[in-house]
Amino acid sequence: MEEQKVSGEINRVAVTGAAGFIGSHTCEGLLDAGKTVIGIDNLSTGKRINLKGIGEHDRFSFFQADICQEDAMATILGDFQPDAVIHLAALVSVPIAEHNPDENYRINVLGTKLVAQAALKAAARRMVFASSAAVYGNSDQLPLSEEGPTNPINQYGMAKLEAETLLLSYEKSHDMTSTCLRFFNVYGPRQDPTSPYSGVISIFADLCASGRPVTVYGDGRQSRDFIYIKDITRGIITSATNTELPGGIYNLCTGQGKTLLELLDALKGIDPDVPEPIFEGEREGDIKHSLGNPSVARRILGFEATTNFAEGIRELQN
Ligand code: UD2
């Protein structure tokens, strides 16, 4: 942790939500890129085991702290003096956010504000925020584009949208480049499969690995823009560390929809003996298709999701 802040390059990066699925992969990617990293997590849903590969790394330190504790955040970031802050900590469950709107607001909006204020106070030059395709709501104007309308249909999406607005207003009034990345359906190793509201890929991969049948809600022809974790972390890290890139709002997506039937085919390609799926009625409130437009991120960030779907699924079973 001795190396000094050098103006120009981004060397010191703080990551909130570091012990989560996306956070832990992000910390690994930053360390691989030679950065000095601190990870902050209150371990409410994040797990220490996610950091087991980097816990002893000499350029990594972990702090168990809550983003809503203003003093703790000010102290941690003030001591570390990050060049960039990547804010991934959140109340991540859409249904839990729906049932606890105050908690959702406290963590996903006010918590983001506190992190941004602490980042500014610590003179961070860049901030990256984990937003979500949930800000688009149930739009039929596919593919979903940053310039298109936002119309969140749940508390989670509303909070992410409000936090985006807040961060962009900070960018206007302060000397901190803010980048809001709208993640589509992220999948990859370490994603928790245990909740009924976990992402469908983690649930299916987990069931298939133990020879149990999956349940498909609906006819399996619904589609999502599934994006592999390594692509997501590349987008996050580039946005945080490339000082040439402007802030703003960007989709992180592949631009290619995959149906659940295609997902089942990919899983069958790995293990032809996976049991036949059980088909049930559609899940209430489900959307049929979700698809992002990747062209703005490609043009401005130079971002491209390169992981082939079948390869990404194969990585889960290793
Ligand atoms: C996301 C949210 C969800 C809700 C929704 C609103 C996550 C993980 N989910 O769902 O909470 O806010 O956006 O649009 O963030 N499926 C099955 N079998 C299973 C699990 C899922 O068939 O065991 C289906 C599910 O009914 C859906 C598709 O798989 O049609 C994708 O489900 P998902 O929860 O991974 O993602 P999504 O975008 O529907």
Side-chain angles (χ1 to χ4, degrees), residues 93-255:
S93 164
V94 174
I96 292 176
E98 206 57 20
H99 291 117
N100 302 276
D102 293 345
E103 192 65 353
N104 169 57
Y105 194 84
R106 187 179 74 83
I107 298 171
N108 290 344
V109 180
L110 300 180
T112 301
K113 186 175 179 182
L114 290 179
V115 172
Q117 284 171 340
L120 276 170
K121 223 167 156 190
R125 287 175 289 138
R126 298 182 75 82
M127 179 155 169
V128 174
F129 170 60
S131 187
S132 165
V135 302
Y136 292 114
N138 199 350
S139 171
D140 52 10
Q141 289 174 38
L142 301 181
L144 300 160
S145 293
E146 295 86 340
E147 309 92 31
T150 49
N151 186 20
I153 51 167
N154 51 41
Q155 298 287 330
Y156 176 80
M158 282 184 234
K160 287 289 179 186
L161 187 59
E162 192 166 335
E164 281 186 354
T165 308
L166 194 124
L167 287 177
L168 295 183
S169 76
Y170 272 55
E171 161 148 298
K172 286 205 178 82
S173 54
H174 298 84
D175 198 13
M176 183 167 75
T177 304
S178 299
T179 305
C180 303
L181 300 174
R182 293 178 176 167
F183 300 163
F184 279 65
N185 290 59
V186 188
Y187 71 98
R190 277 184 234 146
Q191 189 171 32
D192 180 10
T194 54
S195 147
Y197 301 106
S198 299
V200 65
I201 293 187
S202 66
I203 296 176
F204 280 15
D206 187 52
L207 290 169
C208 286
S210 56
R212 289 170 293 164
V214 306
T215 301
V216 175
Y217 302 125
D219 61 7
R221 291 179 205 282
Q222 65 265 55
S223 65
R224 296 291 182 274
D225 191 327
F226 294 113
I227 178 162
Y228 190 61
I229 183 68
K230 292 283 191 255
D231 288 321
I232 284 282
T233 53
R234 198 157 27 77
I236 295 171
I237 292 169
T238 305
S239 302
T241 59
N242 185 342
T243 54
E244 313 257 289
L245 297 178
I249 292 175
Y250 304 96
N251 286 341
L252 287 193
C253 60
T254 66

Side-chain angles (χ1 to χ4, degrees), residues 280-303:
E280 286 189 5
E282 274 179 30
R283 197 168 68 174
E284 202 192 321
D286 251 12
I287 55 173
K288 188 79 180 170
H289 301 291
S290 172
L291 181 68
N293 184 338
S295 62
V296 174
R298 188 185 301 135
R299 191 175 73 243
I300 300 180
L301 303 179
F303 172 78

